[in-house]
Amino acid sequence: MRLYLFFITFFIALHLSAQKEYPQDVFGSPLDIPLVLAGTFGELRSNHFHSGMDIKTQQREGLPVYAIADGTVTRIVVSHWGYGKALYVAHPNGYTSVYAHLKKFGPEIEEYVKKVQYEKQSYEVEMFPDYGELKVTNGSIIAYSGNTGGSAGPHLHFEIRSSVSGKPTNPLLYGYEVRDATDPTLLGLYGYPISDGALINKSAEKIQLNYTRQSDGSFLADKVTASGTIGFGINTFDRLDMAANQNGVYAVKQTVNGRVYSEFDFETFSFAETRYINTLVDYAHYYDHRQRIQKCFKEPYNHLSIYKSLYNDGKINVEEGMSYNVELLISDLAGNTTKLVIPIEGKKEEEKITKEDKTTENYLIAEKPNNFDLGAAKVYFPASTFYEDFFINLEKGNDTITIHDNSVAAHRNFTISFDPSKYAMEDRNQMFIAHLDSRLRPSYSKTYKRDGAFTTRTRTLGTYTLVRDSVAPQVRPKNFKEKQWLSNYNYLSLTITDDLSGIDSYSATLNGKWILMEYEPKTNTITYNFDDKIVNETECELKVTVTDNVGNSTTYTGTFFRK
């Protein structure tokens, strides 16, 4: 037991010493509450790695957000999606801090933003203030926490990036204290026969492997019999103190008979490579089971820079009559580690589970452009749309087409072009390209109409068709009624919805003057804050126009009174 603990401690110390040295005790906390995390850096997300840490805000919005050091605001983004309201602050030491999903900005920044929004008559804006134009001091209030953009609940998304390269780094490397005394959890172990003819436990297909916990806390897999080139994958997560969230682990190291075969961690990564997460995980397994298996071997089309060490790309060449001892060390940044040992016996055996035959009429070569005519539509895949060559399943229909399924990840956008000539012109104006889910429910895919064709660019495989939307959006007052006195109201809000193609744009005026309304898609609400003080009249006429993605429009007009 002592030898095991010594080995683990030595591994962690060696691993941390290999990292770049990051400034400690230089940056303050962005919140004045204990740091409890809902998400960690590098966590596995859909098509990307998480680029910061998500700090819980006690299920509340409006907590003060503080500048972690002196600096200047270099970028401000206000968006319905993604980071929502986000603030970027450059610091003199070469780092930039990022604060996202904000409810609103600090007074000086809020005034700056609203001025631009009213000038452009747009809620969504992106600004790059001149260096030094909006200075902040260490510990000053720069914003208030919220739930804007793609946030699934109130929290602060916080990042630290290099101001030079733009690469995000793990914020916990800068001395922030987050309590974590729990070892990572191992949910599953999988073996992958890689080479032609390779077998694991008589299987030519991926196979789940059994393991048991040992008295020292480590795990031991049942003995594996194998032949050919194989690899392993794990389903794992980390849990921090005071939170039930299943967070990402920090590092995974694989050794074979004492030699390091693969090692990667989430110290940093580049945004340009983040979509290659789909080569680190078993993408097809995620499609089927919603579980992310991290491969301990590197695919030839994996261009991630997270690897600290690789031998034979982490793949194990198993020879008959030889024995191999594989160790996987799964660790978090606090030094908690889970160890899994996999004994392997090289043995030629009869194949019991054969590889699934996925042959179709069409074979796609990933490095070349590919065109397919599916009758109702044509599909064009640029070179390198996919990571590897594969048999692609394409189905023709009278009005629909099916492009394989989402068990294959597309790295780049491909193009679908429909011919709408059989439809009347008045119908075409209200039509769009829709992706159909498993229950055949349509969702809008951004549709371009030019040269007699309907075209969309997407990275989502599946079934597509043309759909007509003839119903205009609905607009309804939410917190007021017609001709109501609103003297004591801080804001007014309306509900806007569309049952098919979705909301494209909205605008509002008070007594003929444009007003800023904040749109929150998660609640289908647009809100005007009376602090903007656009009109001074007692009688106010509100006019709101909402347009969907095919041009159907609804205008609401109402009157209220205010002193």
Side-chain angles (χ1 to χ4, degrees), residues 56-303:
K56 288 176 176 284
T57 55
Q58 301 172 342
Q59 299 181 334
R60 294 184 290 161
E61 297 183 37
L63 298 185
V65 176
Y66 302 96
I68 62 171
D70 292 349
T72 181
V73 177
T74 55
R75 184 185 179 197
I76 309 169
V77 178
V78 178
S79 173
H80 297 141
W81 315 104
Y83 281 6
K85 294 184 179 182
L87 195 62
Y88 299 70
V89 178
H91 305 286
N93 59 359
Y95 294 96
T96 292
S97 54
V98 182
Y99 316 78
H101 304 310
L102 304 170
K103 181 177 183 178
K104 63 179 181 178
F105 304 104
E108 181 183 1
I109 302 171
E110 184 79 7
E111 182 180 355
Y112 180 93
V113 171
K114 282 200 172 182
K115 181 181 178 182
V116 174
Q117 290 174 315
Y118 272 96
E119 287 174 352
K120 295 187 175 182
Q121 295 193 358
S122 174
Y123 170 72
E124 291 192 297
V125 290
E126 183 174 14
M127 294 148 283
F128 298 90
D130 292 336
Y131 196 89
E133 184 177 3
L134 289 175
K135 292 183 179 179
V136 301
T137 57
N138 184 19
S140 62
I141 296 176
I142 56 176
Y144 296 88
S145 67
N147 186 32
T148 57
S151 171
H155 73 278
L156 175 67
H157 174 89
F158 173 69
E159 299 179 17
I160 297 179
R161 301 182 183 181
S162 164
S163 297
V164 177
S165 68
K167 291 178 65 174
T169 48
N170 196 319
L172 294 180
L173 294 169
Y174 296 83
Y176 290 107
E177 293 187 6
V178 175
R179 290 172 53 184
D180 184 2
T182 306
D183 294 339
T185 298
L186 182 63
L187 293 175
L189 170 65
Y190 298 82
Y192 290 79
I194 297 173
S195 63
D196 290 339
L199 296 176
I200 299 178
N201 291 351
K202 301 181 181 181
S203 174
E205 284 279 11
K206 173 189 73 185
I207 186 170
Q208 187 166 3
L209 303 172
N210 297 320
Y211 53 87
T212 53
R213 183 183 288 273
Q214 305 300 292
S215 59
D216 63 358
S218 66
F219 292 93
L220 177 64
D222 295 350
K223 179 180 281 190
V224 172
T225 57
S227 59
T229 302
I230 67 170
F232 292 102
I234 51 172
N235 181 12
T236 183
F237 70 87
D238 187 41
R239 180 167 280 145
L240 287 74
D241 296 358
M242 302 191 297
N245 304 73
Q246 295 187 6
N247 302 122
V249 301
Y250 178 70
V252 177
K253 181 177 182 180
Q254 175 187 222
T255 63
V256 182
N257 291 345
R259 179 170 189 169
V260 178
Y261 266 50
S262 65
E263 180 182 9
F264 61 86
D265 67 27
F266 292 104
E267 174 187 354
T268 184
F269 64 84
S270 167
F271 285 110
E273 69 184 34
T274 188
R275 197 170 178 90
Y276 283 104
I277 185 176
N278 294 328
T279 67
L280 173 68
V281 302
D282 185 334
Y283 194 85
H285 185 93
Y286 178 74
Y287 172 76
D288 288 331
H289 304 286
R290 289 297 181 262
Q291 298 172 346
R292 291 186 174 96
I293 300 173
Q294 300 180 57
K295 300 174 185 175
C296 300
F297 57 96
K298 186 172 182 282
E299 303 281 15
Y301 40 82
N302 177 340
H303 300 302

Side-chain angles (χ1 to χ4, degrees), residues 504-544:
D504 176 57
S505 64
Y506 64 94
S507 63
T509 60
L510 267 182
N511 292 349
K513 295 182 179 180
W514 186 88
I515 58 172
L516 174 67
M517 300 207 79
E518 300 195 8
Y519 177 37
E520 177 48 78
K522 292 190 289 289
T523 59
N524 300 314
T525 301
I526 55 173
T527 302
Y528 168 69
N529 192 319
F530 283 117
D531 287 344
D532 290 358
K533 298 177 181 177
I534 299 304
V535 293
N536 296 317
E537 294 92 336
T538 299
E539 183 174 349
C540 300
E541 182 184 69
L542 174 67
K543 189 175 184 179
V544 178

Side-chain angles (χ1 to χ4, degrees), residues 209-446:
L209 303 172
N210 297 320
Y211 53 87
T212 53
R213 183 183 288 273
Q214 305 300 292
S215 59
D216 63 358
S218 66
F219 292 93
L220 177 64
D222 295 350
K223 179 180 281 190
V224 172
T225 57
S227 59
T229 302
I230 67 170
F232 292 102
I234 51 172
N235 181 12
T236 183
F237 70 87
D238 187 41
R239 180 167 280 145
L240 287 74
D241 296 358
M242 302 191 297
N245 304 73
Q246 295 187 6
N247 302 122
V249 301
Y250 178 70
V252 177
K253 181 177 182 180
Q254 175 187 222
T255 63
V256 182
N257 291 345
R259 179 170 189 169
V260 178
Y261 266 50
S262 65
E263 180 182 9
F264 61 86
D265 67 27
F266 292 104
E267 174 187 354
T268 184
F269 64 84
S270 167
F271 285 110
E273 69 184 34
T274 188
R275 197 170 178 90
Y276 283 104
I277 185 176
N278 294 328
T279 67
L280 173 68
V281 302
D282 185 334
Y283 194 85
H285 185 93
Y286 178 74
Y287 172 76
D288 288 331
H289 304 286
R290 289 297 181 262
Q291 298 172 346
R292 291 186 174 96
I293 300 173
Q294 300 180 57
K295 300 174 185 175
C296 300
F297 57 96
K298 186 172 182 282
E299 303 281 15
Y301 40 82
N302 177 340
H303 300 302
L304 292 171
S305 60
I306 61 175
Y307 295 91
K308 304 300 180 184
S309 182
L310 277 172
Y311 173 75
N312 198 36
D313 285 334
K315 301 169 185 175
I316 306 164
N317 298 322
V318 179
E319 298 181 12
E320 187 175 11
M322 300 290 290
S323 295
Y324 305 83
N325 195 62
V326 177
E327 290 188 358
L328 298 179
L329 294 176
I330 309 162
S331 60
D332 59 30
L333 198 47
N336 305 300
T337 300
T338 296
K339 178 181 176 181
L340 169 64
V341 177
I342 311 167
I344 302 174
E345 177 186 353
K347 186 177 182 181
K348 293 278 189 181
E349 294 184 298
E350 180 183 354
E351 182 178 311
K352 295 293 187 182
I353 303 175
T354 60
K355 186 167 287 189
E356 181 184 354
D357 183 6
K358 297 182 179 180
T359 303
T360 68
E361 295 180 359
N362 298 289
Y363 190 71
L364 186 142
I365 300 175
E367 293 183 356
K368 295 182 178 181
N370 293 263
N371 282 288
F372 298 97
D373 188 342
L374 302 183
K378 295 179 181 178
V379 184
Y380 170 66
F381 299 107
S384 302
T385 298
F386 300 100
Y387 300 111
E388 61 180 332
D389 304 345
F390 68 103
F391 283 100
I392 185 168
N393 182 40
L394 300 171
E395 298 180 12
K396 301 180 181 180
N398 292 330
D399 298 303
T400 65
I401 61 168
T402 298
I403 309 166
H404 208 78
D405 58 50
N406 280 311
S407 63
V408 175
H411 191 74
R412 298 177 60 187
N413 282 318
F414 58 92
T415 302
I416 305 172
S417 297
F418 276 84
D419 178 3
S421 59
K422 69 179 183 179
Y423 298 99
M425 187 62 69
E426 57 269 25
D427 291 340
R428 290 187 219 173
N429 293 334
Q430 297 177 323
M431 297 182 76
F432 63 94
I433 298 175
H435 177 262
L436 303 181
D437 66 12
S438 59
R439 296 169 61 182
L440 301 181
R441 293 174 299 185
S443 61
Y444 177 80
S445 185
K446 188 172 180 61

